[in-house]
Amino acid sequence: MNAVTSLRDQSNEFPFPGSVLELGWWGVLPPISREDQRWWLPLSDTAMVAISTAISSSSAGWGDVNPLAVRRVTSAFLEDPPFLLYALLSWPGDEFVSATELAEWFIGAAPAAFADGEWMLAAPEITNAHQHRWSRLLARSRTTEPNDWIAGAAEWLQVLGPAIDSEWIEHVPAVIWDCVSEPKRKIEGSRLLQQLARARERELVTQSSLSALAEKRKLAAAKQLAYGLSHEINNPLANISARAQQLAREESDPQRQQSLQQIVQQVYRAHEMIAGLMFFANPPEVDRERVDLNAMVEAAGAEFAAVAAEFDIRLLAETLPEPAMVSVDRSMILESIRILLRNSIEAIGSGGTVVLSMERVDDPSRDPQWLIHVADSGPGLSVEASKHAFDPFYSGREAGRGLGLGLCRAYRVAQLHDATIRLSGGLAGCVATIAIPD
């Protein structure tokens, strides 16, 4: 395989100057192409730092670049012959170019030039002999001026490439040196890491802002949809329900009467879904009162005991020995527990176990929390499904887990109480947890 990975020359057996050995070779630059032929120039430590700085500092507008990055690149031009030659042979302009202009152009062009990975796959195999020739050329360049490097470009190019047409080299742009070399700093690599880390932090902040904006727009869209559904669909649903109930009362055939009752049930289901969407988008005000979560857990467990027994599901409700007093909207939190219990029972289907339990967490790094767990022995929850568990009508949700807006409603209740709700599970079983701050 010819792909170039790490080509740094660590050999100490050749008597090159210490500065040359400290420089090292890290690989090759993208090829210089001309008339279906390619030439490859080496990538040094100096070029590595300069190019990384250029890429991290590049912007959409040529000329609108960071002055510090320009100085770093122009300084590298004065220190590194192959880097200078690569920039000059790639330069699309006239026969004269200032070092600053060349650096500004390179900073703008670097991301596109280095993003294409095909050139690495096409790179030739780099041997120690190639690296030794580069090191000798570099040692020789220390005694000459940068303009002399341009005249000697053929020696660099022919290390990894065919013979050079002398006329081509004669037309390489001349450089107007309007800059001075910066003193080499030992912390240049550290500074580069800092720049990359800050750039990544800015990306993460931007992503977080976009996610918050997307969430805000999603709620606004849900609110608009809810109002539309409420006005446009609820009235026809009410008419369908009233007519079906009237026909059911007048129908003597038991089978037809049952069909009409099913219509009524489906209408109620559609109405509940619209009401759930309305709650998700525009919930009522929270009416807080001081309540004991233990009592709410016991009430929810007792309410679903008969439903669980009907499906041969064992439902256990476990409370804490001490009171769990919090200030919440009792009806909202109780409804959230009901949603999680209903979700677990539907997921199991029949013949399983649901455990409703309480826990208190005292973490020194944050405020104490009361945890309400609903664990079931039903089908597990995939990672992808857990990410979208609280999205309205997520089409990839596992069968029986939170269809419609039940979990979305519970999620909204948690938000209104500065609480959190999460689902976790594996191949078998799922645990839903509501975390309420003390």
Side-chain angles (χ1 to χ4, degrees), residues 342-383:
R342 188 180 300 112
N343 185 55
S344 290
I345 291 172
E346 291 177 353
I348 293 174
S350 63
T353 301
V354 176
V355 179
L356 174 60
S357 61
M358 286 278 300
E359 180 184 1
R360 179 178 171 84
V361 175
D362 292 304
D363 188 338
S365 63
R366 61 184 180 186
D367 294 334
Q369 290 182 317
W370 297 100
L371 304 184
I372 302 174
H373 301 293
V374 179
D376 64 64
S377 60
L381 196 67
S382 67
V383 174

Side-chain angles (χ1 to χ4, degrees), residues 73-81 83-91 94-105 145-151 169-180:
V73 173
T74 54
S75 181
F77 286 157
L78 287 164
E79 298 172 15
D80 190 76
F83 182 44
L84 172 62
L85 293 174
Y86 172 77
L88 284 174
L89 292 170
S90 304
W91 163 252
D94 301 327
E95 57 185 9
F96 291 97
V97 61
S98 71
T100 299
E101 185 181 19
L102 184 64
E104 291 175 345
W105 166 80
E145 296 297 321
N147 286 332
D148 296 326
W149 302 346
I150 301 172
I169 299 301
E170 291 174 0
H171 288 86
V172 173
V175 181
I176 302 171
W177 294 101
D178 58 346
C179 63
V180 293

Side-chain angles (χ1 to χ4, degrees), residues 34-179:
R34 185 170 183 262
E35 297 178 354
D36 298 328
Q37 292 182 314
R38 288 179 174 180
W39 292 266
W40 305 82
L41 290 168
L43 173 64
S44 68
D45 286 350
T46 300
M48 173 80 80
V49 173
I51 294 168
S52 299
T53 302
I55 292 173
S56 64
S57 304
S58 62
S59 61
W62 176 18
D64 182 22
V65 293
N66 187 336
L68 295 176
V70 173
R71 288 202 297 270
R72 176 64 265 172
V73 173
T74 54
S75 181
F77 286 157
L78 287 164
E79 298 172 15
D80 190 76
F83 182 44
L84 172 62
L85 293 174
Y86 172 77
L88 284 174
L89 292 170
S90 304
W91 163 252
D94 301 327
E95 57 185 9
F96 291 97
V97 61
S98 71
T100 299
E101 185 181 19
L102 184 64
E104 291 175 345
W105 166 80
F106 180 83
I107 291 171
F114 286 84
D116 183 2
E118 293 183 4
W119 60 271
M120 286 196 297
L121 297 177
E125 182 180 356
I126 311 301
T127 66
N128 286 338
H130 295 134
Q131 297 184 78
H132 296 157
R133 288 180 64 185
W134 288 333
S135 296
R136 290 190 179 95
L137 290 171
L138 184 62
R140 189 195 306 169
S141 72
R142 295 290 184 257
T143 62
T144 58
E145 296 297 321
N147 286 332
D148 296 326
W149 302 346
I150 301 172
E155 291 186 272
W156 283 98
L157 293 168
Q158 289 174 168
V159 174
L160 273 180
I164 297 297
D165 181 358
S166 59
E167 183 179 351
W168 177 33
I169 299 301
E170 291 174 0
H171 288 86
V172 173
V175 181
I176 302 171
W177 294 101
D178 58 346
C179 63

Side-chain angles (χ1 to χ4, degrees), residues 286-292 325-331:
V286 176
D287 183 14
R288 292 180 181 269
E289 58 179 310
R290 199 72 177 166
V291 299
D292 186 354
M325 303 301 297
V326 291
S327 180
V328 296
D329 187 309
R330 185 181 186 281
S331 62

Side-chain angles (χ1 to χ4, degrees), residues 221-231 274 277-279 281-282:
K223 184 175 181 178
Q224 184 178 3
L225 176 61
Y227 284 136
L229 289 173
S230 177
H231 291 89
I274 294 171
L277 184 59
M278 196 69 179
F279 182 92
N282 191 28

Side-chain angles (χ1 to χ4, degrees), residues 12 14-24 139 142:
N12 288 316
F14 287 84
F16 301 125
S19 61
V20 176
L21 283 176
E22 290 172 4
L23 181 70
R142 295 290 184 257

